[in-house]
């Protein structure tokens, strides 16, 4: 109560106020808030002195300033309440006191205009950002297109330079040939001119040569009777006769000579004129040559008529000679042990069930009973005899003479055309597979099971079998039959061969536990299985051909990471010899050759593309080959590495281009590190310049890698890899 007294307030005073006082106060307050003061002219920028500059980038600050500017500012009214006794005076007093002395201050910047301007600026900023992003995208696109055009230009330039070089070389060779031809023609012309001059000289000499006079023939004497004795002819001796052939001397008439010769007056007085009588009355006759003596003619001997020999008889003798030649050569051919001939070595063996009869006797008896009309039929008969002996050896488990059977068949097939090898396929292939399984199956079991299986691999019995059956020799015979079937004119020959080879046999011999020569030879045999409708062994109808083909492809590509290593003999003092690096590279090159052979046919190319492991392992092997160029620079196997890079990239490109729509990246999921190898290997090849360590990488291989990489990378990724693998040619 004391505080209320100090301010002069009391409840009685409030009670004395009129009833409508509160309404008047509210009305005055409403009018005061709705009354607006006329604003002065705003500046062009909506700011006057004292206004705060707003940072449009700061949304919070702009909004805060807008709201603070829009809020009205009031001056606190000075209230001095004084009451009078009369109600009218009090109401007038309250009314006067409630009038607002100053109007509320309002900012000259309109909040709506500021917000609209801020919105426009933000829209303009967003539009400029979008334009900048579009320009950046166009710039990247143009940069990628320029890089692609530059690379294509470089590739075309290299191709053009190669063509120009080839044309220049061809032109040089043609020019050299033409010059040599011109020189030859010039020499021939000079020789012809020289010969012509000699001929002219000889013809002139023939014209100027004087002919020698011929001796006149004597008169024929009268024929005399051969019964009487011929008389000697009377000879007239002249003054010049000497007793020998005086009849040849002719006496000249002195009167005729006197008439012919005239006296000549001497030109010099000191010389006397020779009288006519001093001249010889008989002129010397001309020298005559004697006629050549006639040679006695040889009596003509009448030639006896030649006897005609029947050609059929000659043909019969020739055929017999060829058959005898084959038998003679077989009898003289040595065996593989280098000690005995084949048929002589058969005399040392006999079957356990028939020990009294030697194998050579069985062969001789079969040959004696054979009736072959020609040498080819005889060769086929010999092969069948030997194959029958081989089969009996396997049935009786008598393996000692197996190598002699192989020697004989190898020799006969080497002497005969390929058709003979095709004809023995049906009997020879099962025997080859059965013989190889005797040695190879224990190795496969030891590799899978270990322990007791390894111990059984080196038992005395198994060692004896392995020493008597040469697996490599059996595989060489199978390879000979396979290549003969491929070259045969009979199209179904190779299909019949691969129908008789089980798939497990091929998969078994492609394991790393087998010797490297056996794996290599099996790869060569497998390369002949690339047919138009299948690759690898042809299975029966109850099996899936696609599963077998996928297993073969997976087994082949697995050799890219495996190194052949035989199972060591526990009793051996030293482990088996390790495979050299060059042999490993050659084996993997052979794997690439087999896969390339598969990809030639449409069916094989589709199988390689659909296989879940093939492309990923090829990419991985390509990256490995490129890495070895830098890890082991200029090693002795440099050529094999470069050849592997070229062959692998060509195979990948062929598979990708032959199967439209193939997504290579999707094939890398099942290969560990496949995506990384894909980017690194193809980028290295794309930016390769073929210098120093990369010398030998073909330009076509670089273009193939670039083509595949362009399809799998975006523009940003391409630019990033271009910066990492930038080179002088790409700047």
């Amino acid at each position: 109560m004391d505080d209320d007294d100090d301010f002069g307030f009391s409840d009685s005073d409030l009670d004395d106020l009129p009833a409508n006082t509160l309404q008047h106060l509210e009305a005055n307050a409403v009018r005061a808030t709705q009354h607006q003061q006329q604003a002065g002219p705003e500046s062009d920028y909506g700011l006057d002195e004292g206004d705060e500059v707003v940072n449009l980038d700061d949304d919070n600050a702009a909004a805060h300033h807008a709201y603070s500017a829009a809020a009205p500012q009031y001056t606190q009214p000075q209230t001095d309440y004084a009451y009078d006794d009369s109600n009218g005076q009090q109401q007038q007093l309250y009314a006067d006191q409630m009038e607002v002395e100053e109007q509320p201050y309002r900012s000259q910047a309109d909040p709506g205009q500021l917000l609209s301007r801020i919105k426009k600026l933000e829209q303009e900023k967003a539009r400029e950002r979008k334009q900048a992003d579009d320009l950046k995208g166009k710039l990247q696109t143009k940069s990628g297109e320029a890089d692609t055009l530059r690379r294509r230009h470089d590739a075309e330039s290299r191709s053009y330079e190669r063509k120009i070089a080839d044309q220049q070389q061809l032109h040089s060779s043609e020019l050299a040939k033409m010059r040599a031809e011109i020189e030859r023609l010039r020499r021939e012309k000079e020789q012809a001119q020289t010969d012509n001059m000699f001929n002219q000289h000889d013809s002139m000499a023939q014209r100027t040569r004087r002919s020698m006079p011929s001796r006149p023939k004597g008169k024929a004497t009268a024929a005399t009777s051969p019964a009487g004795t011929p008389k000697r002819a009377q000879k007239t001796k002249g003054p010049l006769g000497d007793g020998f052939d005086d009849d040849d001397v002719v006496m000249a008439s002195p009167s005729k000579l006197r008439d012919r010769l005239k006296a000549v007056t001497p030109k010099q007085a000191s010389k006397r004129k020779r009288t006519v009588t001093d001249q010889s009355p008989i002129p010397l006759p001309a020298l005559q040559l004697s006629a050549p003596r006639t040679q006695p003619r040889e009596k003509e001997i009448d030639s006896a008529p030649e006897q005609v020999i029947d050609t059929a008889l000659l043909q019969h003798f020739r055929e017999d000679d060829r058959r005898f030649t084959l038998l003679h050569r077989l009898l003289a051919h040595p065996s593989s042990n280098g000690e005995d001939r084949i048929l002589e070595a058969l005399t040392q063996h006999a079957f356990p069930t028939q020990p009294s009869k030697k194998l050579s006797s069985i062969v001789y008896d079969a040959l004696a009973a054979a009736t072959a009309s020609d040498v080819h039929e005889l060769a086929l008969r010999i092969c069948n005899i030997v194959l029958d002996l081989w089969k009996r050896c396997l049935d009786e488990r008598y393996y000692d003479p197996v190598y002699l059977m192989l020697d004989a068949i190898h020799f006969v097939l080497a002497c005969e055309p390929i058709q003979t090898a095709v004809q023995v396929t049906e009997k020879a292939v099962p025997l080859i597979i059965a013989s190889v399984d005797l040695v190879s199956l224990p190795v496969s079991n030891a590799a899978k099971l270990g322990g007791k299986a390894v111990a059984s691999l080196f038992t005395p019995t198994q060692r004896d079998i392995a020493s008597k059956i040469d697996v490599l020799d059996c595989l060489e015979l199978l390879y000979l039959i396979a290549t003969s079937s491929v070259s045969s004119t009979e199209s179904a020959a190779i299909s019949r061969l691969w129908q008789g080879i089980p798939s497990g046999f091929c998969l078994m011999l492609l394991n790393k536990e087998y010797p490297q020569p056996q794996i290599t030879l099996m790869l060569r045999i497998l390369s002949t299985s690339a047919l138009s409708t299948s690759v690898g062994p042809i299975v029966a109808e109850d099996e899936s051909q696609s599963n077998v083909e996928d297993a073969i492809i997976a087994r082949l590509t697995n050799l890219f990471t495996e190194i052949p290593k035989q199972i060591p003999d526990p009793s051996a003092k030293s482990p088996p010899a390790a495979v050299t690096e060059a042999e490993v590279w050659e084996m993997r090159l052979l794997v690439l050759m087999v896969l390339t052979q598969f990809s030639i046919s449409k069916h094989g190319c589709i199988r390689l593309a659909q296989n879940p492991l093939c492309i990923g392992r090829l990419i991985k092997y390509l990256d490995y080959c490129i890495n070895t160029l830098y890890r082991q620079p200029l090693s002795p196997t440099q050529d094999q590495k470069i050849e592997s890079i070229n062959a692998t990239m060509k195979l990948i490109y062929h598979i990708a281009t032959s199967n439209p729509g193939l997504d290579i990246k999707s094939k890398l999921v099942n290969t560990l590190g496949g995506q990384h190898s894909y980017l690194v290997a193809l980028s290295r090849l794309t930016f390769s310049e073929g210098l120093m360590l990369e010398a030998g990488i073909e330009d076509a291989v670089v273009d193939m890698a670039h083509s595949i990489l362009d399809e799998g990378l975006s523009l940003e990724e391409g630019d990033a890899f271009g910066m990492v693998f930038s080179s002088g040619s790409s700047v």
Side-chain angles (χ1 to χ4, degrees), residues 118 155 342 483 532 553 574 604 691 696:
I118 291 172
I342 294 177
T483 52
S532 59
I553 295 173
S574 60
L691 301 176

Side-chain angles (χ1 to χ4, degrees), residues 112 142 502 508 565 670:
K142 296 297 182 182
M508 176 183 64
K565 184 179 180 181
N670 298 324

Side-chain angles (χ1 to χ4, degrees), residues 84-104:
D84 196 358
D85 294 335
S86 63
N87 293 333
Q89 292 179 355
Q90 290 179 354
Q91 293 177 359
Q92 184 66 30
L93 179 61
Y94 287 124
D96 294 338
Q97 290 179 351
M98 290 301 297
E99 291 181 0
V100 179
E101 296 179 358
E102 294 182 3
Q103 297 296 331

